C-alpha cells in the first residue's frame, strides 16, 4: 500500500516535470508593453508617419540646427566670430577627432539616416493610402539625402548605409567615395521631387515640399560643381541652374518685401512660405509642457541680454568688420541696406541699477557708436519678438531657416554666371531682386541705388555673388561651406585674421584666432574618434588629421 | 497564469492526499508490521519496523549485538506489541515508550546484573541517586546534556528544564557533563545527592548548522566557502538595518554606503566586482525567496535568526544565473516550543555629526575675497566704514551648525513566541524612528511579522512567514547635483558667505543678493532644506508558505510558494523657497513643481524540491536535492508630475492645479524557470564530495539564449579524521576544501535582446506649430545577448585547534567573469550609439583569513575574539573590440563632464583615478625677475600661457617631458580599491556584565576629495565663495613655503590632480556595547524572566588621514567610479541606551 502511494507520488511528480518542461517556453515568453518590438511596428499609417516625424526631429538636435551648425561649427567665418576669448573649440578651429561637436553632428546625422533607412525597409508594410505612402517615402528619402549632403560636404568620403542597421555585431562599414554619394543624393532627391507635396498643400515651411527639394538640389549641385571636385563642373552648374529655375518658374515663391519680417516671423511662429521655403520648426521652451524639441536660436546667437522678460541671450556671435563694412554706408549709423541693421545688432542691452529702487534693469537699449563694430552681436533673431510666455533662459521656439527664396535667386545668379562664364540678364535680375528688397525697393523695378553695376566681368560678378550671399544669408549656417566650395576658405580666413589683427581694437584682437588657426586640413572635419576606433573598415583618417 | 494555477493545484493535491491519520501514541502498539527475515541483523529488522510503522527506536550502540542474526517469518499479522514481547524480549531487549512514536530499547539485564548501555532498568539498585540542574552561563536551563559516571557505562541526558537524575553506584565516582558547543565539566559526587552545574559555551562553530541554498549542513561538513554571520554580535550594533552593521564582519564581504544619510543605499560586494557596468550586489535569499535588489530596511535586525554568505561557486552555483555575485541567505526567526515568551527590546539613542570641517571666519574670508577680486570685494566689504581689520570682530555665520542637529534613533521590538510539538508561532512587530543629523531628514519604519509552523501529521509539516513593512525616508541626498556642482547641498552649506559687508541678514534671505544666479546656483541651505520635499514611502508585503512532506524517512518533498509585493511611492514637492521652485532662480523657470511616482515591484515564486538523505552505512552517506522552481515578476513605474503650480498649493495633493508633465510609464515583466540538483557524498567521514547543477531559463534573453547551465563541483578532505592526524592532539579539526564552478549574472533589464521602437517625447517634432508624435528605434536586435558568466576556483582550509578554542578559516579564490554585459559603444554610423553586448573579461583574485579564538575562559570571565581580513585584486582582461581602456567621468558638474576621472585599462584594475600629478606650487626660483615682473624660466614646464603663470600657482608634473602640461600628462594618480579590509570583534563577559567591541578597517584605498577642488583653493574660481580654513595657509609672498597655491593660482579649470587624492585608509571603533544581565533573584516577583540593560555606541572613533567628513564614502558609486567624495551626508556617531526583556 505504501509503495503504491510512492508510485502515485512519483507519477504526479513525473507528470508535473513533463508538464513544466513542455510549457516552459511559453512561460518564458514574456511580452513587452511599454515599447513596441520593431517587428510589430509599421502596421499603420500613423506608425509610418510617427517614424517619419522621428526622421525630421534630427534637424532640431543641438548638434544640428538646435545650435551647433550655426554657432559652434558656423561662427568662425569671415562674417562672424565667437565672441568669447576661447582658445579651444570648433569655433576657433582648434579641435580634433575627439571633439564632441564634431562627433555629435556625425552621430546625429547617422541616427537620422538610420531612422530613414528603417522607414524605407518597412515602407510597404502598413496598410494605407498609396498616395500618402508615396509622400512619406519622398520626404524621408529627401531627408536622408539631406543628411548625407551635410555629411559629404563636411567630411568627404563617408560610409553610406542605405538599409537600416540590424545587429550590434555588424560594426564594419567602409567609406564610399564622395562623388558616388553626391550621385546617390541627386538621384534620391530627384525621386523625392516626384513624390512630395507642393508647399501650397501644406501651407507652412516645416514640411519638405516640392520646391524645397528643387531648391536644395540646386544647392547640392553647386557643391558638386565646386571644390574639391575638378570634373563636370559645367554639368553640375547647369543642373543647379535647372533646379533653381524650376523653383522660380513654379511661381509659388517670391521675396518678402521686408527683410526683417522674415526673421520676426520666425521668432513669432508665423509663416511666409513665399520667401521662407524650409525651416526647422522649434516649438515651446520646456516650460509648461514636456515637449522638448526647442532650440537655442536667439539665446545663443541673439543680442546679449540678462533680462528674462526681454529674452535672455548669451550673444555668442558677433559680426566681423568685414561683414559690417560690406554693407552700404559703413560710416552711417543707419545703412540704406536694411539688412545690416537688422542682421547686426545696432544696440546693446545694458544693465544698470536704479539708484532709487535698487532694482537692476537690463532692458535698456543703448545704440552703438558707428566706430563700435566688433561689439555688435548677431541681431537676426531677436528674443524681444518671441511670443512665448514665460520665456526660458536658454530654450526658444524660434524657427531656423534652411532654405529661403533669396538663396534660390542667388544660386540662380551664381549658376547663370558660371554656365555662361559671364553674367547675363537673368543673373543680374536674380541678384538685383535680392538687392532691391534689401534696400526696400520693389523687386521687379530696376533701381540704380540698389542694383549691381552693369557690365561686370565673369569674375567680378562671381565676386559680387560671393559678397551678396554673405550680406543676404549671414549667420544662417551657410558661409563656411560656401567658402569651402568656392575653394577660398583658407585664404579668406587668413586675410580676415590679418585684417582683425591690424584694425580691431585690443579687446577684440582675439577674434583673429579662428583665422590664424585655420589650415588646409580644416576644409574637412576629422572623422570622429568613435567611428575611427570602432569601425574596423573605416580606413584612413581625413587629410591632415 | 494558467500554468501557475496548475502548479497550485498540484501542491494542494499533495497536501490533501496526506492529511493526518491516527497518531495516538497509545494506539501505536496495535500497528501491524509485516516481517519476514532469514538470518538478518537485528539492526536491519529494526530499521524495517521503523519504516513500516513510522516509529523511531532510540538505543545505545551497545544494545544491539550486530553479530547476532535472527530469522523470523510472520506474514502480515503481527502487531508492534507482539513484535516487542515475542521477538525482542527473546533477544534480551526491553523497550519503553518515550514519546510520540519513539521507543527506547535497552538490554533487559546482562549476566553481571548490570546494563551494558548505562540506562538502568527499574530492576537494578545502585547506591545512590544524584539529581541536579544544568544551566548555561546566562542561567538558562540546558537540555540534552550528557551526564556520565566517569569510567563507568552509566549515563543520562538532561531534560528540557535542565534536570537530570542519575544513579551512582560508587561514592567516589566523578560525574562528567558534556554538551555540543560547551566545555566539558566534571564534578565529584562525594556525599552530594544534588549537583547543579553551570556549563560554559565554547566558541567552536564546527557543529553549527549552516544554511546553504536548498538545504543546510553542519559547518564541519561544508565543502564550499560559506560564512555565517555572528548574529549576536551584529545585533549589538544600534542600526536601522542589518546591512549597516555588516561591514567588517565577514571575510570577503565588502560593505560600503554612499554616505551617512538615513536609508542611504548600502553596497555589498562579495569577493570583488565581477561586472563593470552591471549590478554587483549579491543575490539575497530571504526565507527561501531569491530577490535581486531587496530593500533591506524592511527587516528588523532583531528578527533575523541567521545570515549566511555563500561565496564560492560550489555554494552559489545552485542559484545559477543569479549566483555570480555571491548569495546572502537570510533566515528569520521562527517560533520555538515552550510556554509563550514575550520579548521586548526597546532602545533610544542620540546621533551626532562625527566631524565638522573648519571653514574660514569673517576676517579670513574677506581677506581672501580682497585678493581674489580686489575691486568688487572692496566695493562689497570695505564699505560702511569697515576695513579688513573690522572683520576680526564681526562674527561669522556658522552654516554647518545651522544645518546639523543632534539626531535621534529609537526602536522598539516586541515579539511573542511559543508553541508545542505540533504548532510553533512567532508574532512580532517593531517601530523605528530616526531623525537625521541634517535638518528635515529622517527615516521611519513600522513592521510586523507572523511566523507559523504546523506539524499536520508525522509526514506533513506546513508553515507560513508573513512580513509587512511600512518605510518612509525623508530628505534630499546632499550629493544630488543637477548638472552643476553648485546645486549640491553642501556647496551652499560650506560656500555660503559667513559675513556680508552690510546689514543684510543672509539667514533670512533665500538667495544671496550678490551672487549671479545664472551660473552659481547656491541657495540658503537652511531655508531650501526645510522647504524641499523628497519623501519615499515603501509598503512591502512578503509572504512565504511551505509544505514539507516526508515521502519516506529519507525522501522529503518541499513545496514553497511566496510573493513579494513592494510599492514605492516617491513624493517630490518644491515650493517657492527652493531652487527649482523659485522663478527667480535659473532652475526655477517652471515655478512650483511636484511629482508623485509609483514603482510597484511584484514577484512570485514557486519551488518544488525533493531531498534524499541517506546514511548507507558508516562509511557512505549521501544527501541529494533536486527540484524545479518558477519565478516571475513585474516592475511597473508610473506617476504624475506637474509644474507652474499656484502658490496656494503647498504639497503634492494639489498637483492637478498646475501644468501636467509626462511621466514615462515603464513595465518590465520577467519570468525565470529553473531546474536544480545537488549531490553531497561523504565517504569514510573524511572525503566529502559535492556536485551541483542548475539550469535557468530566463525571459530576459532571446529564445535561443534563454537557457543557461551552471555546474559546480567541490571536494573536501577532513584531514583530522585521518589516522596520521590523530597524533596531533592539539588539532581538533582540519579540513581542506576545493571547489570550481560556473555562475551567472543576469542583471539586465528585460527585453534588451529585442529591437524596439519607442515613442518618446524627445523624438517629437512640430509641424505647423503643432507637436506631432515621433517614434524611433533606440535599440538594435541582439539575439546573442546572454548572461555574464563567472567561473570561480576556490581553495580553503578550515582548522580548529586546542579543543576548538581557535578556529581558523582561510580561502584563496580566483574568478574570471566573461561575457561581460557591457553597454558597448557602437560605431556611430550604425545610428544607435550603444547596445548591450557580451564583451570583455574581468578577473578577481583574493585571499581571505578569519580566526575565532577563546582567549580566556573561566567560571566568571570569558573573552573571545574574532578577526577577519580580506584581500582582493581585480583586473580587466579584455574590453570591447579594439578598446584598450574605458574612460569614465562622473556627473558632478557639467564643466568636468568631459574630464575623465577614472580609467579601466586592460591588465589593470577596473577603476583607477587619473589626473595630473601635483607638484606643489611654482616657486620664486622658477622665475626670472624682469622689470619687477616674474617671468617663468624657459626650462620650466607650463600650462595655458607661459606668461600667465606666477609664483605660487599650482604646479603639475610634465610627465611626457614636452615642456607643456596638458591632457597628455594625465596619468594614474590613485587606486580606489583597498588592499585589504577587515574587522576585529571582542566579546568579554564577566559575571553578569558583557562587553562587545568591534573594529573595522579598510587599508590602501584612495579617495578623490572633490570637495577640496572647490573649497580648498577654489579651482572653479567662484567669487564670494567661502573656503575651508585649511586654505588660509596658502602661498603668498609672505608665506612662500606653503605648497597650497595662491589665490587665483588654481591653474586650468576642469583639471583633476593628485592634490585632491587622499589616502582613504581608516580604522574605526565601530561598535561598543556594554550590557548587564540582571540575576533571576533580582527579577523575582517582577514578572520579568530575563533582563539585560545596555548602552551601545556606533561609529565611535575613526582613525584616518582623510580630511573629508568620513572615509567611508562613495558619492557616485559604481564599479567604474568608486570612492569619489562630493557633498556627502556626514556620518553620525550614535549612542543608545536599551534593554532586552523577556516575560
Amino acid at each position: 500500500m505504501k509503495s503504491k502511494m510512492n508510485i502515485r507520488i512519483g507519477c504526479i511528480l513525473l507528470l508535473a516535470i513533463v508538464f513544466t518542461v513542455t510549457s516552459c517556453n511559453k512561460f518564458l515568453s514574456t511580452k513587452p508593453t511599454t515599447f513596441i518590438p520593431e517587428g510589430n511596428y509599421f502596421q499603420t499609417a500613423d506608425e509610418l508617419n510617427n517614424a517619419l516625424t522621428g526622421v525630421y526631429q534630427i534637424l532640431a538636435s543641438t548638434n544640428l540646427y538646435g545650435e551647433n551648425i550655426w554657432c559652434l561649427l558656423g561662427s568662425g567665418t569671415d562674417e562672424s566670430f565667437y565672441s568669447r576669448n576661447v582658445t579651444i573649440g570648433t569655433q576657433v578651429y582648434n579641435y580634433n577627432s575627439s571633439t564632441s561637436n564634431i562627433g555629435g553632428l556625425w552621430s546625429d546625422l547617422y541616427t537620422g539616416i538610420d531612422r530613414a533607412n528603417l522607414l524605407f525597409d518597412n515602407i510597404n508594410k502598413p496598410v494605407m493610402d498609396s498616395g500618402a505612402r508615396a509622400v512619406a517615402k519622398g520626404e524621408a528619402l529627401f531627408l536622408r539625402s539631406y543628411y548625407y549632403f551635410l555629411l559629404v560636404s563636411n567630411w568627404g568620403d563617408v560610409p553610406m548605409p542605405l538599409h537600416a542597421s540590424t545587429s550590434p555585431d555588424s560594426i564594419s562599414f567602409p567609406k564610399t567615395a564622395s562623388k558616388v554619394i553626391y550621385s546617390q543624393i541627386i538621384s534620391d532627391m530627384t525621386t523625392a521631387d516626384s513624390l512630395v507635396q507642393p508647399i501650397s498643400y501644406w501651407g507652412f515651411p516645416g514640411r519638405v515640399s516640392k520646391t524645397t527639394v528643387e531648391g536644395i538640389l540646386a544647392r547640392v549641385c553647386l557643391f558638386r560643381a565646386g571644390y574639391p571636385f575638378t570634373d563636370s563642373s559645367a554639368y553640375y552648374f547647369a543642373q543647379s541652374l535647372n533646379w533653381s529655375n524650376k523653383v522660380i518658374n513654379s511661381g509659388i515663391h517670391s521675396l518678402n518685401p521686408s527683410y526683417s519680417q522674415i526673421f520676426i516671423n520666425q521668432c513669432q511662429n508665423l509663416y511666409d512660405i513665399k520667401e521662407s521655403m524650409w525651416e526647422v520648426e522649434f516649438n515651446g521652451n520646456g516650460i509648461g509642457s514636456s515637449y522638448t524639441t526647442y532650440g537655442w536660436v536667439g539665446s545663443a546667437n541673439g543680442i546679449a541680454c540678462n533680462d528674462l522678460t526681454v529674452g535672455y541671450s548669451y550673444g555668442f556671435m558677433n559680426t566681423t568688420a568685414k561683414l559690417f563694412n560690406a554693407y552700404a554706408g559703413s560710416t552711417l549709423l543707419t545703412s540704406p541696406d536694411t539688412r545690416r541693421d537688422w542682421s547686426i545688432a545696432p544696440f546693446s542691452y545694458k544693465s544698470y541699477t536704479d539708484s532709487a529702487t535698487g532694482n537692476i534693469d537690463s532692458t535698456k537699449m543703448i545704440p552703438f557708436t558707428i566706430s563700435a563694430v566688433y561689439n555688435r552681436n548677431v541681431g537676426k533673431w531677436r528674443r524681444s519678438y518671441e511670443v512665448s510666455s514665460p520665456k526660458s533662459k536658454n530654450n526658444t521656439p524660434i524657427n531656423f531657416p534652411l532654405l529661403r527664396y533669396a538663396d534660390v535667386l542667388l544660386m540662380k545668379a551664381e549658376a547663370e554666371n558660371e554656365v555662361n562664364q559671364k553674367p547675363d540678364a537673368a543673373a543680374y535680375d536674380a541678384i538685383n531682386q535680392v538687392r532691391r528688397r534689401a534696400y526696400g525697393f520693389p523687386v521687379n523695378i530696376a533701381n540704380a541705388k540698389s542694383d549691381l553695376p552693369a557690365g561686370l566681368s565673369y569674375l567680378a560678378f562671381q565676386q559680387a555673388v560671393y559678397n551678396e550671399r554673405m550680406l543676404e544669408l549671414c549667420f544662417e549656417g551657410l558661409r563656411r561651406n560656401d567658402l569651402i566650395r568656392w575653394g577660398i576658405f583658407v585664404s579668406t580666413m587668413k586675410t580676415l585674421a590679418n585684417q582683425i589683427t591690424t584694425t580691431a581694437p585690443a579687446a577684440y584682437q582675439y577674434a583673429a584666432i579662428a583665422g590664424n588657426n585655420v589650415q588646409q586640413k580644416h576644409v574637412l572635419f576629422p572623422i570622429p574618434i568613435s567611428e575611427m576606433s570602432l569601425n574596423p573598415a573605416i580606413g584612413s583618417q581625413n587629410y591632415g588629421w | 497564469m494558467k500554468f501557475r494555477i496548475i502548479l497550485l493545484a498540484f501542491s494542494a493535491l499533495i497536501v490533501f492526499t496526506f492529511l493526518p491519520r491516527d497518531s495516538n501514541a497509545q494506539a501505536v502498539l496495535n500497528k501491524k508490521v509485516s516481517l519476514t527475515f532469514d538470518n538478518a541483523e537485528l539492526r536491519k529488522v529494526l530499521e524495517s519496523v521503523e519504516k513500516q510503522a513510522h516509529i523511531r527506536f532510540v538505543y545505545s550502540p551497545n544494545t544491539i549485538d550486530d553479530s547476532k542474526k535472527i530469522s523470523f517469518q510472520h506474514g502480515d499479522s503481527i502487531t508492534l506489541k507482539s513484535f516487542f514481547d515475542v521477538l525482542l524480549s527473546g533477544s534480551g531487549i526491553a523497550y519503553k515508550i518515550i514519546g510520540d512514536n519513539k521507543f527506547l530499547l535497552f538490554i533487559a539485564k546482562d549476566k553481571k546484573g548490570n546494563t551494558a548501555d548505562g540506562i538502568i532498568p527499574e530492576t537494578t539498585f545502585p547506591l545512590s541517586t544524584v539529581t541536579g540542574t544544568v544551566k548555561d552561563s546566562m542561567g538558562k536551563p540546558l537540555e540534552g546534556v550528557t551526564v556520565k559516571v566517569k569510567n563507568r557505562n552509566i549515563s543520562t541526558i538532561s531534560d528540557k528544564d535542565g534536570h537530570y537524575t542519575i544513579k551512582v553506584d560508587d561514592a567516589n565516582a566523578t560525574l562528567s557533563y558534556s554538551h555540543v558547543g560547551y566545555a566539558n565539566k566534571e564534578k565529584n559526587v562525594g556525599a552530594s545527592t544534588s549537583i547543579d552545574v553551570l556549563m560554559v559555551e565554547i566558541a567552536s562553530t564546527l557543529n553549527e548548522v549552516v544554511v546553504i541554498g536548498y538545504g543546510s549542513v553542519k559547518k564541519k561538513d561544508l565543502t564550499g566557502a560559506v560564512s555565517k554571520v555572528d548574529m549576536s554580535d551584529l545585533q549589538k550594533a544600534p542600526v536601522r538595518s542589518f546591512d549597516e552593521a555588516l561591514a567588517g564582519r565577514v571575510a570577503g564581504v565588502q560593505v560600503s554606503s554612499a554616505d551617512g544619510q538615513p536609508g542611504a543605499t548600502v553596497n555589498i560586494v562579495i569577493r570583488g566586482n565581477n561586472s563593470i557596468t552591471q549590478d554587483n550586489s549579491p543575490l539575497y535569499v530571504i526565507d527561501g525567496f531569491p530577490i535581486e535588489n531587496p530593500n533591506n530596511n524592511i527587516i528588523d535586525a532583531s528578527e533575523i535568526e541567521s545570515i549566511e554568505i555563500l561565496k564560492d561557486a560550489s555554494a552559489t552555483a545552485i542559484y545559477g544565473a543569479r549566483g555570480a555575485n555571491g548569495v546572502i541567505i537570510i533566515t528569520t526567526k521562527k517560533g520555538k516550543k515552550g510556554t509563550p515568551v514575550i520579548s521586548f527590546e526597546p532602545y533610544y539613542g542620540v546621533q551626532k555629526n562625527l566631524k565638522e570641517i573648519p571653514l574660514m571666519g569673517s576676517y579670513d574670508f574677506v581677506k581672501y575675497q580682497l585678493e581674489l577680486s580686489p575691486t568688487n570685494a572692496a566695493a562689497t566689504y570695505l564699505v560702511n566704514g569697515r576695513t579688513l581689520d573690522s572683520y576680526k570682530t564681526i562674527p561669522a555665520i556658522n552654516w554647518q551648525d545651522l544645518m546639523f542637529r543632534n539626531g535621534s534613533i529609537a526602536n522598539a521590538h516586541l515579539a511573542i513566541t511559543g508553541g508545542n510539538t505540533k504548532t510553533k508561532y512567532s508574532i512580532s512587530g517593531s517601530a523605528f524612528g530616526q531623525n537625521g543629523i541634517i535638518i528635515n531628514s529622517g527615516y521611519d519604519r513600522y513592521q510586523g511579522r507572523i511566523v507559523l509552523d504546523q506539524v499536520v501529521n508525522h509526514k506533513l509539516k506546513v508553515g507560513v512567514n508573513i512580513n509587512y513593512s511600512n518605510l518612509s525616508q525623508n530628505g534630499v541626498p546632499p550629493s544630488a547635483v543637477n548638472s552643476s556642482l553648485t546645486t549640491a547641498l553642501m556647496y551652499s552649506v560650506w560656500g555660503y558667505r559667513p559675513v556680508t559687508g552690510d546689514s543684510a541678514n543672509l539667514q533670512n534671505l533665500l538667495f544671496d543678493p550678490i551672487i549671479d544666479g545664472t551660473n552659481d546656483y547656491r541657495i540658503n541651505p537652511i531655508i531650501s532644506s526645510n522647504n524641499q520635499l523628497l519623501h519615499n514611502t515603501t509598503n512591502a508585503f512578503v509572504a512565504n508558505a511551505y509544505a514539507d512532506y516526508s515521502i519516506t524517512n529519507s525522501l522529503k518533498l518541499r513545496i514553497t510558494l511566496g510573493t513579494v509585493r513592494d510599492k514605492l511611492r516617491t513624493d517630490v514637492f518644491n515650493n517657492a523657497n527652493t531652487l527649482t521652485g523659485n522663478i527667480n532662480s535659473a532652475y526655477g523657470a517652471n515655478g512650483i513643481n511636484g511629482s508623485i511616482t509609483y514603482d510597484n515591484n511584484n514577484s512570485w515564486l514557486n519551488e518544488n524540491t525533493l531531498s534524499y538523505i541517506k546514511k548507507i552505512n558508516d562509511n557512505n552517506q549521501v544527501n541529494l536535492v533536486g527540484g524545479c522552481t518558477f519565478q516571475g515578476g513585474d516592475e511597473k513605474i508610473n506617476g504624475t508630475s506637474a509644474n507652474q503650480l499656484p502658490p496656494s498649493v503647498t504639497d503634492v495633493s494639489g498637483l492637478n492645479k498646475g501644468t501636467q508633465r509626462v511621466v514615462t510609464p515603464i513595465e518590465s515583466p520577467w519570468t525565470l524557470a529553473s531546474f536544480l540538483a545537488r549531490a553531497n557524498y561523504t565517504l569514510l567521514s573524511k572525503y566529502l564530495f559535492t556536485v551541483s547543477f542548475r539550469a535557468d531559463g530566463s525571459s530576459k534573453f532571446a529564445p535561443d539564449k534563454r537557457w543557461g547551465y551552471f555546474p559546480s563541483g567541490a571536494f573536501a578532505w577532513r584531514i583530522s579524521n585521518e589516522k596520521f592526524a590523530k597524533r596531533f592532539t592539539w588539532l581538533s579539526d582540519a579540513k581542506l576544501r576545493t571547489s570550481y564552478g560556473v555562475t551567472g549574472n543576469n542583471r539586465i533589464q528585460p527585453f534588451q535582446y529585442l529591437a524596439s521602437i519607442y515613442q518618446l517625447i524627445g523624438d517629437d517634432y512640430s509641424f505647423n506649430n503643432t507637436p506631432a508624435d515621433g517614434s524611433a528605434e533606440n535599440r538594435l536586435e541582439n539575439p546573442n545577448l546572454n548572461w555574464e558568466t563567472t567561473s570561480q576556483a576556490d581553495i580553503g582550509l578550515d582548522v580548529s585547534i586546542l579543543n576548538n578554542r581557535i578556529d581558523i578559516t582561510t580561502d584563496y579564490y580566483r574568478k574570471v567573469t566573461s561575457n561581460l554585459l557591457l553597454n558597448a559603444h557602437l560605431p556611430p554610423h550604425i545610428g544607435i550609439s550603444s547596445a548591450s553586448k557580451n564583451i570583455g573579461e574581468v578577473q578577481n583574485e583574493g585571499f581571505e583569513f578569519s580566526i575565532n579564538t577563546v582567549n580566556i575562559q573561566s567560571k566568571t570571565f570569558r573573552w573571545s575574539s574574532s578577526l577577519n581580513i580580506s584581500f582582493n585584486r581585480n583586473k580587466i582582461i579584455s574590453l570591447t573590440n579594439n578598446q584598450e581602456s574605458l574612460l569614465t567621468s562622473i556627473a558632478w558638474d557639467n564643466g568636468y563632464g568631459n574630464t575623465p576621472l577614472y580609467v579601466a585599462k586592460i591588465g589593470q584594475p577596473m577603476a583607477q583615478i587619473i589626473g595630473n600629478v601635483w607638484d606643489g606650487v611654482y616657486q620664486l626660483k622658477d622665475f626670472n625677475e624682469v622689470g619687477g615682473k616674474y617671468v617663468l624660466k624657459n626650462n620650466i614646464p607650463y600650462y595655458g600661457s607661459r606668461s600667465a603663470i606666477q609664483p605660487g600657482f599650482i604646479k603639475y608634473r610634465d610627465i611626457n617631458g614636452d615642456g607643456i602640461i596638458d591632457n597628455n600628462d594625465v596619468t594614474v594618480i590613485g587606486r580606489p580599491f583597498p588592499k585589504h579590509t577587515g574587522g576585529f570583534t571582542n566579546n568579554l563577559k564577566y559575571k553578569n556584565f558583557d562587553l562587545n567591541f568591534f573594529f573595522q578597517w579598510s587599508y590602501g584605498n584612495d579617495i578623490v576629495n572633490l570637495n577640496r577642488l572647490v573649497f580648498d583653493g577654489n579651482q572653479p574660481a567662484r567669487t564670494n565663495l567661502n573656503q575651508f580654513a585649511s586654505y588660509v595657509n596658502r602661498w603668498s609672498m609672505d608665506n612662500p613655503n606653503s605648497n597650497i597655491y595662491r589665490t587665483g593660482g588654481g591653474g586650468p579649470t576642469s583639471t583633476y590632480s593628485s592634490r585632491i587624492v587622499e589616502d582613504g585608509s581608516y580604522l574605526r571603533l565601530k561598535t561598543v556595547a556594554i550590557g548587564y544581565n540582571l540575576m533571576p533573584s533580582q527579577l523575582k516577583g517582577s514578572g520579568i524572566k530575563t533582563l539585560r540593560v545596555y548602552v551601545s555606541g556606533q561609529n565611535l572613533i575613526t582613525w584616518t588621514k582623510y580630511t573629508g567628513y568620513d572615509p567611508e564614502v562613495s558619492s557616485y558609486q559604481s564599479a567604474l567610479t568608486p570612492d569619489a567624495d562630493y557633498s556627502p551626508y556626514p556620518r553620525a556617531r550614535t549612542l543608545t541606551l536599551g534593554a532586552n526583556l523577556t516575560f
Side-chain angles (χ1 to χ4, degrees), chain B residues 502-789:
Chain B
D502 51 29
S503 56
N505 187 345
L506 284 184
Q507 288 186 58
N508 295 336
L509 297 171
L510 183 61
F511 296 105
D512 185 334
I514 68 162
I515 301 302
D516 173 11
T518 56
N519 56 31
D520 190 325
Y521 309 116
R522 83 183 76 160
I523 186 168
N524 184 317
I526 316 299
I527 298 177
S528 69
S529 291
N530 277 324
N531 283 282
Q532 214 175 345
L533 174 84
L534 173 62
H535 194 96
N536 287 315
T537 316
T538 305
N539 281 299
F541 173 77
V542 181
N544 288 302
Y546 72 89
D548 277 347
Y549 181 75
S550 305
I551 297 165
T552 70
N553 272 347
S554 315
L555 184 64
K556 290 194 169 66
L557 172 70
R558 183 178 175 90
I559 295 174
T560 65
L561 288 170
T563 182
V564 174
R565 310 183 80 78
D566 232 12
K567 291 189 197 309
L568 167 67
R569 170 179 159 151
T570 304
D571 289 1
V572 173
F573 192 78
N574 295 299
N575 67 19
N577 281 326
T578 62
L579 188 63
T580 64
N582 188 296
I583 53 163
N584 294 320
S585 105
Y587 278 94
N590 286 318
I592 300 170
N593 60 83
S595 66
I596 304 174
T597 318
Y598 295 94
D599 184 347
N600 293 340
N601 225 323
N602 295 329
S603 62
W604 59 268
L605 171 75
N606 161 252
E607 297 195 318
N608 313 287
T609 51
L610 278 169
S611 61
Y612 180 76
I613 303 174
K614 180 78 178 174
K615 188 171 180 180
I616 298 161
N617 53 38
D618 280 348
N619 292 338
N620 294 282
Q621 195 175 327
V622 293
N623 181 341
L624 309 173
V625 180
C628 53
T629 82
F630 303 92
Q631 193 167 1
D634 189 4
E635 183 173 22
K636 290 193 170 95
I637 299 173
N638 54 49
T640 171
S641 171
N643 56 30
Q644 308 260 310
L645 292 161
S648 57
V649 176
T650 54
D651 61 26
V652 291
S653 63
L655 289 186
N656 57 334
K657 299 204 172 74
T659 308
Q660 301 303 306
R661 310 266 301 175
V662 171
V663 174
T664 307
I666 296 172
E667 283 189 36
S668 333
W670 57 273
T671 50
L672 183 75
S674 316
F675 297 89
L676 59 95
R678 180 177 57 217
N680 287 310
Y681 171 61
T682 308
L683 174 65
L684 301 166
S685 341
K686 283 189 276 194
Y687 311 112
L688 309 151
F689 301 88
T690 303
V691 290
S692 76
F693 179 78
R694 181 164 179 142
D696 273 320
S698 166
S699 67
K700 290 180 177 178
F701 301 100
D704 288 347
K705 294 285 180 183
R706 227 156 240 177
W707 287 91
Y709 307 99
F710 304 96
S712 83
F715 165 67
W717 177 30
R718 290 197 75 193
I719 304 164
S720 50
N721 280 11
E722 294 287 355
K723 278 208 184 92
F724 67 80
K726 296 287 182 198
R727 54 198 159 106
F728 308 124
T729 48
W730 48 268
L731 184 69
S732 321
D733 195 88
K735 184 172 66 179
L736 185 69
R737 294 176 278 108
T738 59
S739 73
Y740 180 79
V742 177
T743 49
N745 180 6
N746 70 341
R747 304 278 179 93
I748 62 167
Q749 286 298 307
F751 307 123
Q752 297 294 304
Y753 69 91
L754 278 177
S756 59
I757 305 267
Y758 278 80
Q759 301 213 151
L760 298 177
I761 200 150
D763 293 325
D764 288 359
Y765 187 77
S766 287
F767 296 111
N768 203 11
N769 287 321
T770 310
D773 289 343
S775 66
E777 184 179 43
N778 68 352
R779 193 165 58 221
L780 289 174
E781 189 177 10
N782 187 1
N784 296 324
L785 198 65
N786 208 343
W787 28 52
E788 294 182 343
T789 308

Side-chain angles (χ1 to χ4, degrees), chain B residues 72-290:
Chain B
F72 189 76
Q73 288 207 329
H74 218 289
D76 260 334
S77 56
I78 188 170
T79 62
L80 268 185
K81 189 163 170 43
S82 2
F83 167 74
F84 287 124
D85 292 349
V86 180
L87 188 78
L88 283 185
S89 66
S91 303
I93 295 170
Y95 77 97
K96 189 178 170 184
I97 301 177
I98 56 167
D100 284 356
N101 302 320
K102 226 179 197 174
F103 295 79
L104 176 71
L105 304 183
F106 51 88
I107 297 173
K109 196 176 183 179
D110 69 7
K111 290 165 215 145
K112 290 177 193 162
N114 209 340
T115 54
D117 61 352
I119 298 173
I120 311 294
E122 307 289 324
T123 47
T124 57
F125 296 96
L127 286 174
S128 63
T129 302
V130 177
T131 61
T133 309
V134 191
K135 288 186 175 170
D136 68 9
S137 51
M138 299 286 286
K140 270 202 332 218
L142 264 185
E143 186 182 0
V145 176
T146 306
V147 186
K148 207 174 164 206
V149 183
K150 215 176 169 187
N151 301 325
R152 302 293 296 267
N153 284 324
I154 306 173
S155 64
T156 186
I157 288 173
S158 64
D159 65 13
K160 69 177 181 352
D161 299 321
H163 291 309
Y164 71 93
T165 304
I166 193 164
K167 308 203 169 173
V168 181
D169 56 356
D170 183 352
N172 296 320
T174 301
L175 291 181
S176 82
Y177 302 80
S178 61
H179 189 55
V180 169
Y182 291 81
N184 288 351
K185 213 142 204 194
E186 293 188 353
K187 290 269 183 184
N188 289 324
V189 176
S192 324
T193 55
S194 169
I195 301 174
D196 289 348
V197 178
L198 189 81
M199 296 196 62
V200 181
E201 285 170 72
I202 51 174
S204 168
T205 51
L206 280 181
N207 283 300
E208 254 176 9
V209 172
V210 176
V211 180
I212 56 174
Y214 303 98
S216 60
V217 294
K218 283 190 172 165
K219 192 175 176 202
K220 63 176 183 188
D221 294 332
L222 262 180
T223 55
V226 178
S227 299
K228 195 176 167 91
V229 178
D230 190 319
M231 285 311 293
S232 65
D233 281 354
L234 188 133
Q235 281 159 354
K236 284 187 172 131
V239 290
R240 177 188 59 256
S241 156
F242 72 89
D243 51 12
E244 272 190 286
L246 198 59
R249 304 280 181 181
V250 181
V253 180
Q254 242 212 68
V255 184
S256 58
S257 53
D259 57 21
Q261 189 175 28
T265 314
V266 175
N267 296 298
I268 300 182
V269 174
I270 297 173
R271 292 187 164 177
N273 293 310
N274 294 328
S275 180
I276 59 176
T277 56
Q278 303 298 307
D279 196 342
N280 278 301
S281 62
L283 176 72
Y284 288 78
V285 179
I286 301 172
D287 289 319
F289 198 114

Side-chain angles (χ1 to χ4, degrees), chain B residues 254-255 976-983 999-1007 1063-1068 1103-1104 1111-1112 1123:
Chain B
Q254 242 212 68
V255 184
F977 297 116
K979 292 196 172 100
H980 57 82
T981 57
F999 292 95
Q1000 181 222 331
W1001 78 83
S1002 171
Y1003 175 79
N1005 58 308
D1006 292 319
I1007 300 175
D1063 183 358
S1065 307
Y1066 67 92
L1067 170 66
R1068 172 173 283 165
W1103 293 271
T1104 182
E1112 190 186 334
D1123 290 12

